[in-house]
Every structure is written in C-alpha cells, then in structure tokens.
Amino acid sequence: MRMRTLLTLLLSVILFTAGAAAKKPAGKISDLAAFSQIHSYCVDSTGLAGDEALDLTNFVNAESKPKKLLSKLLWARVSDCSAGSPDVVVRVEFSQYYPVNEVQVGSPTPGNGPAQEEFYKIRVVLRVSPPESSEVLYEIEAAPLSNSLTGQTVEPVDESLPVQRRNAIYGAFWKLVDDVQRVSQTNSKQ
C-alpha cells in the first residue's frame, strides 16, 4: 500500500512537472502584455536577398490558405506592410553554415568557400516587432524540419537550399503559432 501511494505521488509530480514545462513558450517574448494585444500582422521580406524573399513570399501565400499553418495563427494577416497598418511586422533572417566534416591527416586544407558537393544547413530567426520600431516583442530560431512525405527521417543536409529554407520557415512559424495559441489560452484562463 505504501509503495502504491509513493508511486502515485511520484507519477503525479512527474506529470505536473511535464505539464508545467509544456506550457512555456518556445520563443522569447520580451513584453507579454504587448504580445497578448496583437491582432494583425504582415510579413516583411524587403531586407532579404531575391531568392530568400521569393521563398518567404511563396511560403506565406501557400500557408495562408484555409487549413494551412498560417490560418491557425490567431492574428489577421495584412498582405502589404506599407498599407493597412498592422499591429506587428514579422521579419525572417536566414543564416547558413556548412557541415563540419572530419579532416583526414594529409588531406588538403579547405579553402574559404564550400566545395561544390557540400550541402548547406539553414537556420531561421523570426522576429515580431511593432511597425517602424526596433523593439522585438518575440523571437524564435528554427532549423529545417523533417517533413518527408514517406514519414522517414530526412536529414536537412540532404535537401536542396530552397527546401531547407522552406522547412526552416515552417518550423519558425509553427513555433510562433503554437506560442500565440498558448499565450491566448493562458490569458483566457485569467
């Protein structure tokens, strides 16, 4: 009987800890009150290189359709950041790096750039800011997600650069959607 009570108590503590950890936002929210008051947004791609801007624009257009990822975001999307005065502007910044491979003794030292056969790895930093402000209300960093149609794990370095960018964008927006929903639920309980 004592063992059963002890196990029940231990299981309760574990579940409570796991539940509390699951409620913490994945991203960094600098001003929770301001973040809670956001109702509209736009996605700004003006600071990105041409191919990066195109990948972001295509992602936003595709994922804004019904039953897609951005339709789950509780904020209304304004298509043009210069018109419509959204509450916040979402900006994405890409960083890329090369996988580190073991260097064999006696092999030539690599040059400054990657070899043709090397693959990139992409990371995305997504920032949410008020229009015409440098203040960041929310920030999240994401790597490419594995979204293989076969269900098998796909390593990001096996994917082309545009696919890695799209997958990383998806990961960042997925975390944003989850955090917005989490903050909204927390505010509705109070």
Side-chain angles (χ1 to χ4, degrees):
M1 186 72 154
R2 287 183 108 157
M3 184 60 104
R4 185 178 203 183
T5 305
L6 181 61
L7 286 174
T8 303
L9 182 61
L10 182 61
L11 183 60
S12 298
V13 169
I14 290 171
L15 290 175
F16 179 75
T17 306
K23 293 182 181 181
K24 183 180 177 190
K28 180 178 151 191
I29 301 173
S30 64
D31 185 348
L32 186 59
F35 188 76
S36 301
Q37 297 302 314
I38 298 171
H39 299 289
S40 63
Y41 76 101
C42 70
V43 179
D44 182 13
S45 63
T46 57
L48 298 174
D51 56 339
E52 293 174 346
L54 183 62
D55 289 344
L56 178 61
T57 301
N58 289 342
F59 170 83
V60 170
N61 290 337
E63 293 298 326
S64 293
K65 295 177 181 172
K67 297 186 179 183
K68 294 290 188 168
L69 179 65
L70 295 180
S71 68
K72 294 172 178 53
L73 187 57
L74 301 176
W75 306 337
R77 183 175 154 251
V78 176
S79 60
D80 186 8
C81 289
S82 61
S85 63
D87 295 338
V88 292
V89 177
V90 176
R91 290 183 180 87
V92 171
E93 179 183 310
F94 295 95
S95 60
Q96 53 190 3
Y97 58 96
Y98 304 99
V100 177
N101 296 327
E102 287 185 37
V103 177
Q104 295 177 352
V105 176
S107 65
T109 55
N112 290 339
Q116 285 290 67
E117 64 275 359
E118 286 185 301
F119 292 99
Y120 296 98
K121 282 192 175 183
I122 296 293
R123 293 205 59 89
V124 165
V125 176
L126 181 146
R127 292 183 182 94
V128 175
S129 303
E132 301 181 25
S133 172
S134 61
E135 177 189 10
V136 176
L137 297 175
Y138 178 85
E139 183 175 54
I140 188 74
E141 185 175 356
L145 295 174
S146 171
N147 62 356
S148 169
L149 296 175
T150 63
Q152 296 175 341
T153 302
V154 176
E155 289 295 321
V157 294
D158 293 338
E159 300 289 346
S160 67
L161 189 57
V163 171
Q164 287 184 54
R165 274 197 297 259
R166 186 191 188 296
N167 289 347
I169 294 168
Y170 194 95
F173 273 100
W174 183 356
K175 291 175 184 178
L176 172 65
V177 168
D178 190 45
D179 286 346
V180 169
Q181 290 175 349
R182 184 172 287 130
V183 167
S184 175
Q185 290 171 352
T186 302
N187 287 342
S188 66
K189 291 179 183 177
Q190 293 176 353

